[in-house]
Amino acid sequence: MPPTLGALLRTPKLRLRLLTGQEEPHRRVEWVAVSELTDPTPYLAGGELLLTTGVGWAEDPPDLRDYVRRLAERDIAGLGFAADVVFEHTPDELRAAAEEFGVTLVEVARETPFIAVGKEVSRLLAQEEYEGLTRAFSAQRELARAALRGAGAVVERLAREFDGWVLLLGPDGSVRHAAPAQAAEHADRLAAELPRLRGAGQRAGSSVVSGDEHVALQSLAIGRRVRGFLAVGARKGFGSHDRTLVNAAVSLLSLELERPTAEGGSGIVSGVVAALFDGALDPAHTGATALRRALPAEPVVVAAVQDPASRCSLPDGLLATDAADVAAADPATGTLLLASAEILDRLPEVFDELFEGGVGLSDPVSYTELVVARAQAERALAVAVDEGRGPVRSGDLPGGLLGLLETPVGVRLADDLLAPIDRQRNAAELLASLRAYLAASGRWDAAAERLGVHRHTLRYRMKRIRELLPGDLDDPDHRTELWISLRVREGRSRP
């Protein structure tokens, strides 16, 4: 259940009484703020339920009409006034101003502590997050099942999940699959966005808003070659769980588009394993039992191979997961392979026979740690390529997480993540603002002081950064990735 004004009003223990704004019961409450200031708006972000007792109003009455007007301009969710604390009832002037400016006014009973309202909003937010995660995991499972029937089934499943429309476009923008069928008419208006995404390469995306419709457009790429585009249209915006589902579809469809050029093997199996590598599927879920039986037994080793062109038939126990186009592949990426750790000792000999380029091997891991293992293998591959060595094991390298600072893999990942900001004219000040914001753990005043700018200037810059980056800045995982990327940049700039 989302935290709305209606949900709070329907909570008996809170004893809230609606005075104005009967037409706004579905207004979302982002947070609860308590303030006795005559002008609390500098400390509000919008969407809050503001609670006050009016303790300072008895001796120095403010202009309540001006007070409510400022709150309306800040777009708060509602105003809660505590009755029978200083005033026996909510002042008539406050009620009239709320009606004039369209602010929802709620009277809070004396028996209800403000902290109880805050706790209820926190509980509803946590419940909403849990429900969102549950829906996301269920949707990803259904998406993986649809992938067994091909790209068209993935497109249709995704359209049902968003109750909207989905297009799978070829590299030239032609429609390959549309759900529903009439969604193909949207292709023409998206055509102008495709050249930019095509030039940006892997993981490029953009958002288009037309009226009350939101469209997420993502490139589908293996290595640096764009194989097509995925467009998802929905009536509501895309939250973090929605973006996770779109990313899962991108992983599955990218590999599915590779299947016509792969020599033998199953493009669907490759797509599912690629989704595991990207963290888009949960291998620990009970519904993934059959999938795990089709893969090498745990623990497994991830191998990053520089030169897939010389690959011949793979030995038993190995599974190719990326049939990358070699001509377009970055020398530091190449093919990813999975192998059972049981054959780890003979892997260097096997790779010497099958591949001419460098090979990087991860530590043995479970399927839940594939994302970490992929980074280990790619880092080891970078060392093997740079030093012209044979297969290199991650366990033989110094470092840990900070070891990525000095490797081409770390620099490439950082550049990919920060690329949308780098392309802006004021990239330097945006990157500096992002670093200060993250270093201050999101505290506006501390970050603005460190930069030497007004906090409103910082808010504007951070709003622009949120629009540019594909991830959610409220997601701690995404914030961590950004912080490490900025540190990688700093490590590269040091002499």
Side-chain angles (χ1 to χ4, degrees), residues 111-132:
E111 299 81 9
T112 302
F114 284 174
I115 190 66
V117 182
K119 284 183 175 180
E120 181 63 15
V121 170
S122 295
R123 186 189 69 81
L124 291 173
L125 285 170
Q127 179 179 327
E128 182 184 37
E129 179 69 13
Y130 174 77
E131 291 173 351

Side-chain angles (χ1 to χ4, degrees), residues 133-145 244-245 247-249 251-252 271-293 295 298 366-371:
L133 285 172
T134 301
R135 288 194 302 271
F137 281 130
S138 176
Q140 289 179 36
R141 183 173 64 249
E142 294 302 320
L143 206 61
R145 288 177 178 171
T244 297
L245 186 59
N247 288 337
S251 296
L252 291 169
V272 171
V273 177
L276 289 173
F277 271 124
D278 290 338
L281 295 180
D282 180 14
H285 195 281
T286 54
T289 303
L291 171 62
R292 289 196 299 272
R293 284 199 298 266
L295 301 174
E298 295 179 291
S366 66
Y367 278 112
T368 58
E369 299 169 299
L370 282 183
V371 175

Side-chain angles (χ1 to χ4, degrees), residues 246-332:
V246 171
N247 288 337
V250 167
S251 296
L252 291 169
L253 291 171
S254 293
L255 269 297
E256 178 64 16
L257 293 179
E258 279 292 314
R259 184 158 57 163
T261 63
E263 296 179 6
S266 169
I268 285 296
V269 172
S270 298
V272 171
V273 177
L276 289 173
F277 271 124
D278 290 338
L281 295 180
D282 180 14
H285 195 281
T286 54
T289 303
L291 171 62
R292 289 196 299 272
R293 284 199 298 266
L295 301 174
E298 295 179 291
V300 293
V301 173
V302 175
V305 184
Q306 179 197 19
D307 184 13
S310 58
R311 184 178 65 202
C312 58
S313 59
L314 296 173
D316 292 340
L318 289 178
L319 177 64
T321 64
D322 262 298
D325 184 86
V326 181
D330 188 300

Side-chain angles (χ1 to χ4, degrees), residues 56-121:
W57 299 358
E59 297 181 359
D60 185 18
D63 183 339
L64 293 182
R65 183 178 183 278
D66 190 50
Y67 173 79
V68 174
R69 177 187 60 77
R70 289 194 296 268
L71 295 180
E73 291 174 352
R74 180 56 75 180
D75 194 28
I76 65 170
L79 174 63
F81 186 83
D84 203 22
V85 177
V86 178
F87 296 85
E88 184 177 353
H89 300 291
T90 302
D92 292 339
E93 184 183 352
L94 184 66
R95 183 167 182 168
E99 289 178 344
E100 178 182 354
F101 293 105
V103 173
T104 299
L105 180 62
V106 176
E107 188 172 82
V108 185
R110 180 180 178 83
E111 299 81 9
T112 302
F114 284 174
I115 190 66
V117 182
K119 284 183 175 180
E120 181 63 15
V121 170

